[in-house]
Amino acid sequence: MVDPNSNESSATYFILIGLPGLEEAQFWLAFPLCSLYPIAVLGNLTIIYIVPTEHSLHEPMYIFLCMLSGLDILISTSSVPKMMAIFWFNSTIIQFDACLLQMFAIHSLSGMESTVLLAMAFDRYVAICHPLRHATVLMLPHVTKIGLAAVVWGTALMAPLSIFIKWLPFCHSNILSHSYCLHQDVMKLACADICVNIIYGLIVIISAIGLDSLLISLSYLLILKTVLGLTHEAQAKTFGTCVSHVCAVFIFYVPFIGLSMVHRFDKWHDSLLPIIMANIYLLVPPVLNPIVYRVKTKEIRQRILRLFHVTTHTSDP
C-alpha cells in the first residue's frame, strides 16, 4: 500500500488524484471528458493529411496550421492517456521522472504553439499590409526555419523548469491536485525555497506568452488600420481570412492566461476551478481548432467535402 503522505527527502513518485472530491463520480465523468481526445486527434490528423495533399493549400498560412495541428495532438497525447488511466483504472501513481517529462512536454509544446500562433499573425500581417512582399518574405524555407525556431525556443525556454524541479527536495505530501503534472502544482510540494521557480515561471510567461500575445495584438492593430482604408467588400473579404486565426488565438490564450492567474490566487487553492480549467486548456483547443478552420476556411471545407464524397462514391456498388 502506497502511503500518499510519505516523508522522503526526495520524491520518487507523485499521486494524481484526478478530480478532488469527485473520486466516486469521476469514472462516469471521464466519458464525456475523454471522448474529446479521439475527436481532437481525428480532427487534427485530417488537417495534417489535407494540407500536404491539396496543392492549393501549399501556402504559409496552411503550413503553419499543420504545425498547430501537430502540436495540438502532441499536447493532448502527453496528458490524456494518463488521465484516462486515473479515471477508469485508478492508476494514480506517476514516477518522478515521468512527471518531469510530462510537465516539460506540456509546457514546451504550449510555448511552441504560442510561437506558431505569432507566426500565423505575422503571415496575415504581411499578406494584408504588404501583399507584394508576401511571396518573398514567407517562402517555404523561411516557413520551415520559423517552425524549427519555434521548437528550439519552446525547448530552451522550458528546459530550466524541469532542472529546477529536479533539484528541489520533496519531504511533504506528494499528492498533486491535477490530473497531470503542472509546474505550478509540483513546485508547491517542495520543502525548500521556490523563489527561483516562481521568478523563472513569471519570466517564461512574460517573455513567451506575454510577448507573443502583445505582438499578435500589434499585428492585428496594423491589419485593422490597413483594412479600414479598403472598400466594404474588400473589408469583408479580408476580415474573413483572419477570423479563423483570431478564434484560434482566443481559444489558446484565454484558458492559458486564466489558468495561470487562478494558480496565483490562494483563495482558489482548494477549489475545483483550477482542475477544471486545466482540463479545458488541454482538451478544448485541440478539439475546436480543426472545427473553426473547417467552418471558416472555404478551401479546407471544400477539400474535406471532396474527400468524403470520393470515399462515399468509391464505396458504392
Side-chain angles (χ1 to χ4, degrees):
M1 183 78 177
V2 177
D3 180 8
N5 295 307
S6 57
N7 294 322
E8 302 180 27
S9 59
S10 180
T12 58
Y13 62 87
F14 291 107
I15 296 178
L16 301 166
I17 57 176
L19 300 174
L22 298 174
E23 287 82 1
E24 294 183 1
Q26 69 183 11
F27 177 86
W28 301 108
L29 292 174
F31 282 96
L33 186 65
C34 295
S35 65
L36 296 176
Y37 176 64
I39 296 173
V41 172
L42 180 61
N44 285 288
L45 283 177
T46 302
I47 297 293
I48 293 173
Y49 170 77
I50 284 175
V51 171
T53 57
E54 179 65 29
H55 183 73
S56 63
L57 299 178
H58 293 178
E59 298 179 11
M61 178 174 67
Y62 301 114
I63 296 173
F64 286 133
L65 176 59
C66 251
M67 297 180 189
L68 190 69
S69 293
L71 290 171
D72 279 340
I73 291 175
L74 291 175
I75 288 176
S76 55
T77 302
S78 66
S79 57
V80 177
K82 180 60 179 177
M83 289 168 56
M84 291 179 178
I86 295 170
F87 295 151
W88 288 331
F89 305 107
N90 199 31
S91 178
T92 58
I93 295 177
I94 183 169
Q95 297 300 315
F96 182 79
D97 289 337
C99 184
L100 287 186
L101 180 61
Q102 186 184 63
M103 182 187 74
F104 170 75
I106 292 171
H107 289 294
S108 61
L109 291 169
S110 297
M112 295 174 201
E113 184 156 341
S114 180
T115 303
V116 171
L117 287 171
L118 173 60
M120 295 174 80
F122 177 68
D123 169 71
R124 291 298 84 206
Y125 163 72
V126 177
I128 294 171
C129 300
H130 305 282
L132 298 179
R133 299 176 58 187
H134 184 258
T136 55
V137 172
L138 284 165
M139 294 186 296
L140 182 58
H142 298 161
V143 173
T144 304
K145 289 178 181 178
I146 291 173
L148 292 174
V151 173
V152 172
W153 173 242
T155 302
L157 196 63
M158 303 301 170
L161 289 177
S162 299
I163 296 173
F164 294 153
I165 291 292
K166 187 77 173 178
W167 288 344
L168 288 175
F170 295 87
C171 54
H172 301 309
S173 172
N174 57 357
I175 299 177
L176 297 173
S177 61
H178 287 73
S179 307
Y180 54 89
C181 294
L182 279 176
H183 175 254
Q184 303 97 311
D185 201 19
V186 174
M187 71 177 182
K188 292 177 181 179
L189 300 182
C191 54
D193 187 7
I194 58 172
C195 286
V196 173
N197 298 72
I198 295 173
I199 292 171
Y200 188 77
L202 288 172
I203 291 173
V204 167
I205 292 176
I206 294 172
S207 61
I209 307 300
L211 182 60
D212 288 349
S213 58
L214 179 63
L215 291 175
I216 290 172
S217 301
L218 178 61
S219 69
Y220 274 102
L221 285 175
L222 296 174
I223 289 172
L224 182 61
K225 180 181 178 181
T226 300
V227 170
L228 290 177
L230 303 176
T231 63
H232 290 297
E233 183 179 350
Q235 286 178 1
K237 184 178 180 180
T238 304
F239 279 130
T241 66
C242 299
V243 169
S244 300
H245 179 253
V246 171
C247 290
V249 168
F250 278 101
I251 289 169
F252 174 78
Y253 282 106
V254 170
F256 182 91
I257 295 173
L259 181 61
S260 299
M261 295 297 295
V262 165
H263 269 285
R264 281 165 174 77
F265 292 97
D266 291 335
K267 68 178 182 177
W268 300 111
H269 179 70
D270 297 322
S271 171
L272 270 175
L273 181 62
I275 292 90
I276 294 173
M277 290 186 67
N279 291 334
I280 289 174
Y281 165 65
L282 282 187
L283 285 169
V284 173
V287 171
L288 291 184
N289 281 336
I291 295 174
V292 168
Y293 274 93
R294 185 181 64 186
V295 171
K296 293 296 183 180
T297 308
K298 183 177 69 174
E299 293 82 359
I300 292 178
R301 185 172 64 251
Q302 290 176 342
R303 182 65 180 89
I304 291 175
L305 290 175
R306 288 205 306 271
L307 175 66
F308 283 100
H309 173 74
V310 170
T311 303
T312 303
H313 181 73
T314 56
S315 63
D316 290 339

